Amino acid sequence: MKNYLSRKLLGLVFLVSPLFAMAQGEISGTVTDQNNELLPGVNIIIKGTTTGTTTDFDGNYSITAESFPATLIFSSIGFNTKEIVVNAAGKVNMTLQEGLALDEVVLTGNRSKPRTILDSPVPIDNIGVAELTSSGKPTVDRMLTFKVPSFNAQTQAISDATAHYDPADLRGLGPSRTLVLVNGKRKNQSAQVYLNRTPGKGEVGVDLKSIPTAAIERVEVLRDGASAQYGSDAIAGVINMVLKKNAKYTTVSARTGITSQGDGFNFAADANTAFNFGDGGFINLTLGYYNQQLTNRAGSPGIADLPADARPNEIQWATENPELGMKVGQPDLEKGDLFINLGHPLGENAELYSFHGYSTRKGRSFAYYRAPYWRRDVADSEFLTRSEDFVGYQPTFEAAIDDHINALGLKFNITDTFNADASVTYGSNSVDYTVNNSLNRDYLVDNGTSPRSFKPGGYTLSNVVMNLDFANAFTEQLTSSFGVEYKKEYYEAIEGDPLSYYKGGSDSFAGIKPDEAGKWNRNNIAFYAGLDYDITEDLLLGLAGRYEDFSDFGDNFSWKVFGRYKLGDKGAIRGSYSTGFRAPTLHQRYLTNSQYIIVSGSSEPLLQGTLANDNSAVQALGVPSLFAETSRNISAGFTYKINPKFSASIDFYQIHVDDRVLFSSQIGFDGDDTNTNPVEQILEDNNVVAVQFFINAGDTKTTGADFVLNYRGIDMGQGKFNVSLAANINETTIDAIETPQVLADNGYNIFTREEKGLITNSRPKSKFILGMDYDTDKFNIGLNNTLFGKVTVTAPETGGIDQDLASMLVTDLNLSYKVTDKLSFTGTINNLFDVYPDVTLASTQTAQAGSRFLYSSEVQQGGQFGTNFSLGMNYSF
């Protein structure tokens, strides 16, 4: 019976296939702009299906329709979307007009079919590479900071490896809660946990510095919870880096800059090209190089920092060096990038695609200068100099970072309305440390000598992600998406050289000990599904759900409902409610290390230890094994196109995060020498003066609003004027902190007020961006004003007064001149009026206040570099 049915089914396929073949037909043509310039990279899709393509370097396209009549939708960044009904196979040319962002088609936020920003039920920013680079910033994370109000990233100073990554986040929710995609595929996180006192302390983010801007066509920023669609980490939103495909020209760019104080010199060069291969295939290739030198904005406490028993050489050194040897600012950095994006059709209904990215960089940051009165033991050993000549030393913290992403996939149409995407993605990030100009003080005592250079080890994180995704359009109104994802993650802590961890270890960063090194892994599998129903042309309702099971802590189910009601063809009301989650990272579960940091109440760096969450000593304190954070997101908004050139949108949101993974405060000795409590016994057993660990212990609430106003293409005679105003206002509060009973009984506070301040006050509570530019055939003049709202320096538990840092307005001026259609020069002045944050007051009693740091390293606004001048060249051929 089974064979009989199979033969019947096979015969039916042969009978109907000629009918489909007769109905099929190829549509081809050329797409140009209103000036008759060819447009590469234009998206063309057949309405009501998932079939799509893009124009090549010469603006040509070809697409196969399964039946006629067929409606083609043409869209590209900066142009109005256009639809045309095609009744038969043949040639169809199209001209697109410059238009508003509301008409731009985006891929992020909906897995069943592309939608315009106006049609989307969730807020999405769509930022082209030209808009990003016009900021004059050197890396994509800095560019986004001055283009997206809810996004923040700032250079960190004196924070070990964190200084080489710079934590970045959306809506102030921390780097762990922003999912980053490349061409819609999950980007691996970095190998580094941010352990120092910076925004995002205790968290792990994506290494955004590893993605060169020259390889990016556009960035789509989804400002809404999306765990139900994309999985872990998407609590705050999603950033999708869309790589370039076709390019009409080979483009070579170079840029150099320096600060008004004569430091921070930087140079960047990149090249992007594309070429055809095979029958209809493309390869886009990007090469990039970047070099920056350090900046220094240290304070000058001079002799005020000296102890009462200062020695003559110490007094002389502090007098001659009022900055006390400190280097506070951006690190030295050298970086190289190679990115390849390619695709090739397989027959008429399938496409093989692949992209590969490799980034390598070396950086040098600086630890606290070891003042001579901090290291009298080294002075008295006379290992470096005679005791009376000793001036201390400053260890360097050097990092070699490699980042890879590689993806291979196949997109194919099962039917005209049903397609699939099968892919595998491999990503890896590694960091290898070197400490120079240091020594091991314990080894010096025991042996009378010490190395000056150490290799304290490093970390590696990698993952393999396999996806099988389906999208089906049952009708033009009803579409669905579903799929399965399998991910395997690997984390390794690499042992340092023996002298780097001998007893107290190398001064500034103790090496990774044999019992701290190791390899760990986990896997998870996820199933997801979503349904979009355009009940009418105006009303859209949808839902999505995702079940995910992790091998190390359990499972999670997240869901989302959303809707949008169009107000004619000019506006829409939209809203969503979703649950979300974030899996604790392998770093947070297994990291064990010790390092020298500033401990509250101490005037010099002391050795501090981090114990793994599954360490028996940590478990004995009542700290549970880490499990997933969960969230509840609600958002509602309104968008409206007042006229073809003027649009506005506003979105409100509230995000609850429960069981947030926290990096605890330093748990140390209680000052009572008459007894040893259980916590103190752990410190003694691990030979540290303080210990920290990761724990699910916090509940937070973030409330805010995003506002966007665009007025584009205003005719000003010989040119056009564009103006935009975008803003974000948000506030995060901590609703609860749960302290394990053993610690509570012994009077310990696992999350002190200064740690709370890093969550609630370290990012601006508001940011306003007013951008204006005037564009002619030869000139483009841009003026960008970014107002960073106040932040608060939070005084420690032991005393001090909180300090509010006033709002900070950063003005950037950009001027471009086209010598020819292929050669242009750009001059940029960032922070035109040389604005700095408020000087941190000594009354805050924070670790650096009134001494080595002039500006706080714990809270961030618009940076502390002052004015920066840069000049760039762009040549296409």
Side-chain angles (χ1 to χ4, degrees):
M1 180 67 178
K2 184 177 180 181
N3 289 336
Y4 172 77
L5 290 175
S6 298
R7 289 194 300 272
K8 288 291 188 181
L9 182 60
L10 186 61
L12 182 60
V13 170
F14 278 114
L15 283 173
V16 300
S17 58
L19 299 178
F20 281 103
M22 291 174 62
Q24 283 184 344
E26 183 181 89
I27 308 169
S28 62
T30 302
V31 182
T32 59
D33 64 13
Q34 66 266 35
N35 299 317
N36 208 32
E37 291 285 331
L38 299 171
L39 290 177
V42 176
N43 296 307
I44 303 105
I45 62 173
I46 299 176
K47 189 173 183 179
T49 76
T50 55
T51 301
T53 188
T54 58
T55 55
D56 64 15
F57 319 112
D58 300 317
N60 298 317
Y61 75 93
S62 176
I63 193 169
T64 300
E66 296 292 330
S67 61
F68 292 96
T71 301
L72 298 187
I73 303 175
F74 297 79
S75 63
S76 183
I77 292 178
F79 293 89
N80 287 325
T81 298
K82 199 165 183 178
E83 295 186 11
I84 185 171
V85 177
V86 181
N87 294 312
K91 198 170 189 66
V92 177
N93 296 328
M94 177 59 62
T95 299
L96 297 183
Q97 302 290 325
E98 291 184 3
L100 279 172
L102 290 179
D103 294 320
E104 295 165 2
V105 172
V106 290
L107 305 174
T108 310
N110 186 290
R111 305 192 72 150
S112 58
K113 69 178 183 180
R115 291 187 181 276
T116 67
I117 291 177
L118 178 62
D119 287 336
S120 174
V122 291
I124 300 176
D125 298 308
N126 193 24
I127 307 168
V129 66
E131 187 177 355
L132 284 174
T133 55
S134 68
S135 68
K137 308 301 178 183
T139 55
V140 69
D141 55 332
R142 296 285 289 152
M143 293 176 187
L144 288 172
T145 296
F146 287 83
K147 290 296 179 183
V148 179
S150 59
F151 180 92
N152 282 288
Q154 296 292 345
T155 299
Q156 307 302 312
I158 301 197
S159 52
D160 294 338
T162 306
H164 302 287
Y165 282 94
D166 298 344
D169 61 44
L170 283 169
R171 293 177 168 176
L173 278 166
S176 297
R177 295 166 198 87
T178 299
L179 176 64
V180 177
L181 309 174
V182 177
N183 277 359
K185 306 302 178 184
R186 177 180 284 265
K187 179 77 175 74
N188 57 283
Q189 292 180 314
S190 74
Q192 179 66 38
V193 185
Y194 311 135
L195 294 179
N196 287 66
R197 290 195 55 77
T198 66
K201 180 181 177 182
E203 299 195 32
V204 181
V206 169
D207 183 9
L208 291 177
K209 293 182 185 297
S210 68
I211 306 173
T213 312
I216 299 171
E217 175 186 286
R218 67 183 189 275
V219 178
E220 297 178 352
V221 182
L222 167 62
R223 294 177 277 112
D224 194 48
S227 293
Q229 293 145 311
Y230 296 101
S232 177
D233 307 342
I235 287 176
V238 179
I239 298 174
N240 184 22
M241 308 280 186
V242 182
L243 302 179
K244 292 178 180 176
K245 292 183 177 180
N246 300 313
K248 189 175 180 181
Y249 301 107
T250 295
T251 301
V252 178
S253 300
R255 185 188 69 253
T256 187
I258 194 168
T259 73
S260 59
Q261 295 197 24
D263 58 7
F265 177 82
N266 60 81
F267 173 78
D270 54 63
N272 177 266
T273 189
F275 49 89
N276 295 318
F277 80 100
D279 185 12
F282 74 90
I283 296 178
N284 189 284
L285 173 66
T286 302
L287 293 171
Y289 173 79
Y290 177 64
N291 182 291
Q292 74 178 26
Q293 296 179 7
L294 62 89
T295 60
N296 189 13
R297 302 293 181 269
S300 303
I303 60 174
D305 189 65
L306 290 172
D309 61 344
R311 299 175 177 179
N313 63 299
E314 296 168 351
I315 296 173
Q316 181 179 353
W317 173 79
T319 302
E320 295 175 352
N321 299 274
E323 292 183 349
L324 304 182
M326 294 289 285
K327 293 182 176 65
V328 180
Q330 73 177 18
D332 293 322
L333 175 67
E334 187 172 34
K335 182 170 77 86
D337 304 299
L338 170 63
F339 262 68
I340 300 172
N341 187 30
L342 62 92
H344 195 285
L346 298 178
E348 294 183 346
N349 296 309
E351 179 191 13
L352 179 71
Y353 65 89
S354 183
F355 61 88
H356 307 269
Y358 173 67
S359 176
T360 182
R361 68 180 184 270
K362 292 184 178 180
R364 180 185 63 154
S365 61
F366 296 86
Y368 277 73
Y369 192 97
R370 268 48 183 174
Y373 42 89
W374 283 359
R375 293 296 182 262
R376 287 178 177 172
D377 56 335
V378 178
D380 295 340
S381 74
E382 299 199 332
F383 170 63
L384 296 178
T385 65
R386 294 187 308 164
S387 177
E388 60 267 27
D389 298 328
F390 184 66
V391 296
Y393 53 94
Q394 183 170 41
T396 64
F397 191 91
E398 301 173 28
I401 300 169
D402 289 329
D403 191 276
H404 308 254
I405 185 168
N406 303 274
L408 176 66
L410 178 67
K411 294 179 180 178
F412 54 97
N413 293 338
I414 300 171
T415 69
D416 182 33
T417 61
F418 188 22
N419 70 2
D421 183 348
S423 66
V424 57
T425 305
Y426 169 75
S428 173
N429 184 273
S430 65
V431 55
D432 182 63
Y433 306 136
T434 300
V435 172
N436 281 321
N437 199 38
S438 183
L439 48 78
N440 186 315
R441 296 161 66 194
D442 290 316
Y443 192 82
L444 178 62
V445 170
D446 295 344
N447 297 276
T449 187
S450 170
R452 301 300 312 280
S453 180
F454 301 89
K455 298 290 289 183
Y459 299 97
T460 298
L461 178 79
S462 61
N463 61 32
V464 178
V465 186
M466 290 178 280
N467 292 89
L468 182 58
D469 305 315
F470 298 93
N472 185 34
F474 298 105
T475 67
E476 191 172 319
Q477 290 75 37
L478 184 63
T479 59
S480 70
S481 60
F482 58 94
V484 59
E485 177 179 286
Y486 177 80
K487 180 171 63 175
K488 184 85 172 183
E489 296 177 271
Y490 303 88
Y491 178 61
E492 180 179 7
I494 303 166
E495 180 184 343
D497 67 64
L499 293 188
S500 72
Y501 58 75
Y502 179 86
K503 293 188 177 179
S506 47
D507 196 1
S508 88
F509 187 84
I512 299 172
K513 304 177 179 65
D515 58 349
E516 297 171 347
K519 297 180 179 180
W520 302 271
N521 66 78
R522 73 175 176 200
N523 61 76
N524 66 283
I525 188 167
F527 302 90
Y528 80 87
L531 192 68
D532 285 20
Y533 185 22
D534 288 277
I535 299 173
T536 67
E537 186 176 337
D538 296 329
L539 179 61
L540 162 70
L541 295 177
L543 57 88
R546 185 181 179 106
Y547 172 78
E548 203 144 352
D549 187 32
F550 287 78
S551 61
D552 59 344
F553 70 83
D555 59 1
N556 173 269
F557 177 74
S558 296
W559 56 272
K560 182 174 186 175
V561 294
F562 51 85
R564 179 227 67 220
Y565 184 77
K566 293 177 67 174
L567 305 173
D569 60 355
K570 289 190 174 183
I573 300 170
R574 59 195 180 196
S576 71
Y577 180 86
S578 65
T579 64
F581 80 104
R582 186 188 77 83
T585 67
L586 288 173
H587 324 54
Q588 293 173 325
R589 290 185 63 83
Y590 299 112
L591 180 72
T592 302
N593 77 356
S594 53
Q595 64 185 122
Y596 283 91
I597 67 170
I598 288 291
V599 175
S600 183
S602 172
S603 61
E604 63 178 274
L606 297 176
L607 192 62
Q608 170 265 345
T610 298
L611 295 183
N613 172 259
D614 66 347
N615 184 287
S616 58
V618 174
Q619 298 278 309
L621 292 175
V623 177
S625 297
L626 292 181
F627 53 92
E629 304 175 357
T630 56
S631 69
R632 290 162 285 137
N633 297 51
I634 185 169
S635 69
F638 168 81
T639 184
Y640 197 76
K641 183 164 56 175
I642 298 168
N643 61 45
K645 297 179 180 181
F646 191 15
S647 68
S649 68
I650 186 167
D651 292 274
F652 301 91
Y653 59 87
Q654 188 171 92
I655 306 168
H656 292 265
V657 181
D658 296 328
D659 301 314
R660 185 165 173 158
V661 176
L662 304 177
F663 188 44
S664 75
S665 300
Q666 298 150 6
I667 306 299
F669 290 84
D670 61 10
D672 183 359
D673 297 332
T674 61
N675 62 70
T676 301
N677 67 46
V679 176
E680 294 172 335
Q681 189 62 54
I682 293 172
L683 302 181
E684 292 180 358
D685 292 345
N686 288 273
N687 193 33
V688 294
V689 298
V691 67
Q692 292 178 270
F693 47 81
F694 292 95
I695 179 173
N696 290 90
D699 296 342
T700 64
K701 179 176 72 174
T702 300
T703 304
D706 294 315
F707 173 79
V708 180
L709 188 69
N710 283 312
Y711 203 160
R712 297 184 178 180
I714 306 170
D715 196 347
M716 300 286 288
Q718 295 183 347
K720 291 186 177 180
F721 181 70
N722 305 303
V723 60
S724 64
L725 174 64
N728 171 260
I729 301 171
N730 77 88
E731 183 174 15
T732 295
T733 58
I734 298 175
D735 294 336
I737 298 291
E738 295 185 15
T739 302
Q741 198 63 46
V742 174
L743 289 164
D745 290 344
N746 286 278
Y748 285 93
N749 183 356
I750 67 164
F751 211 63
T752 57
R753 71 186 315 273
E754 59 263 40
E755 304 297 346
K756 294 176 183 177
L758 287 178
I759 291 178
T760 59
N761 296 320
S762 65
R763 296 294 199 194
K765 295 182 183 297
S766 65
K767 187 164 67 171
F768 293 81
I769 301 174
L770 175 63
M772 297 173 284
D773 72 90
Y774 177 67
D775 192 31
T776 70
D777 291 340
K778 287 289 186 179
F779 285 96
N780 179 275
I781 302 174
L783 187 68
N784 200 72
N785 298 275
T786 306
L787 179 64
F788 296 88
K790 76 170 187 176
V791 292
T792 302
V793 180
T794 305
E797 199 87 19
T798 53
I801 302 172
D802 292 351
Q803 178 189 359
D804 289 336
L805 305 185
S807 299
M808 180 177 173
L809 177 63
V810 178
T811 301
D812 301 323
L813 177 65
N814 185 79
L815 174 63
S816 295
Y817 177 69
K818 295 179 183 177
V819 181
T820 69
D821 289 341
K822 296 182 179 180
L823 176 64
S824 63
F825 291 93
T826 300
T828 303
I829 305 177
N830 292 123
N831 198 350
L832 178 64
F833 300 109
D834 203 27
V835 178
Y836 284 88
D838 290 344
V839 173
T840 309
L841 301 177
S843 57
T844 62
Q845 295 188 22
T846 51
Q848 70 276 20
S851 57
R852 288 155 179 77
F853 284 75
L854 189 60
Y855 311 107
S856 175
S857 67
E858 300 178 7
V859 299
Q860 301 293 323
Q861 287 171 296
Q864 47 182 264
F865 305 132
T867 300
N868 187 86
F869 304 95
S870 64
L871 180 66
M873 180 274 293
N874 186 286
Y875 181 65
S876 300
F877 58 92

